[in-house]
Amino acid sequence: MPDWIYLLPVGVIMALVVGVLISADLVAALFYRHFARRWLPRDSARTLIDSYRLTVTLTGLVLAFSLLQVQTNFREVSTLVAHEADTLDLAARELQQIGDADALALRWRLIAYGEAIVVEEWPRLAHGGYSARADGMYAELLRLAGGLQSATAD
């Protein structure tokens, strides 16, 4: 699938799909009018138009199921993103409640990590990559959080 299609708004994609389907329907109707009626026997022409109707119906079913699958995928991804955001928010609030200077510094690093995930990691995931900076920030957060836990336990 070409990457440029992901940059188009949903309305433009819908207009393109509807335009292609209408164009295909008009081309098929012109083909039937000029070819099938003139050079095919009546029974063969009727079979041709019936097969065309079946093709249009099946195409509509495939499009409907494809739309359903896209909506399901969107909901699943939306749920995962919301869960990840909630986890980061909960961690940031917990760090704020500790009130220690080290915890507040760690909170700001956590916020920067969340921004790196959205700005760097997600666009690269679309192409099968990852953000080395976000991975490094995560490792640093884990290291600092481990130090924070031992300091608060003492």
Side-chain angles (χ1 to χ4, degrees):
M1 189 82 159
D3 289 339
W4 59 267
I5 202 160
Y6 296 111
L7 301 175
L8 296 176
V10 174
V12 172
I13 293 173
M14 288 179 60
L16 284 172
V17 169
V18 169
V20 166
L21 290 175
I22 289 173
S23 298
D25 189 36
L26 291 175
V27 167
L30 290 173
F31 173 77
Y32 173 73
R33 179 182 293 165
H34 293 292
F35 175 74
R37 282 188 179 175
R38 292 184 184 171
W39 290 292
L40 290 177
R42 186 171 178 89
D43 291 339
S44 296
R46 185 166 303 270
T47 302
L48 180 67
I49 197 65
D50 287 343
S51 65
Y52 172 71
R53 288 179 181 155
L54 177 65
T55 303
V56 169
T57 303
L58 291 178
T59 302
L61 286 173
V62 168
L63 285 174
F65 284 116
S66 297
L67 177 61
L68 180 64
Q69 185 63 42
V70 166
Q71 287 177 337
T72 301
N73 291 346
F74 179 75
R75 286 187 187 123
E76 288 175 2
V77 169
S78 179
T79 301
L80 291 174
V81 168
H83 179 70
E84 188 170 344
D86 286 342
T87 303
L88 287 174
D89 183 51
L90 179 64
R93 287 175 190 238
E94 291 292 328
L95 288 171
Q96 187 175 17
Q97 286 180 354
I98 291 174
D100 188 326
D102 291 336
L104 292 178
L106 184 59
R107 181 177 180 265
W108 287 110
R109 287 181 185 238
L110 181 68
I111 291 170
Y113 169 70
E115 290 174 0
I117 289 292
V118 173
V119 173
E120 294 179 21
E121 182 95 326
W122 288 351
R124 290 184 182 163
L125 286 174
H127 303 289
Y130 68 97
S131 170
R133 180 175 168 252
D135 284 350
M137 291 174 80
Y138 182 72
E140 181 71 13
L141 280 171
L142 289 179
R143 186 183 66 74
L144 291 173
L148 183 66
Q149 286 177 354
S150 64
T152 56
D154 295 338

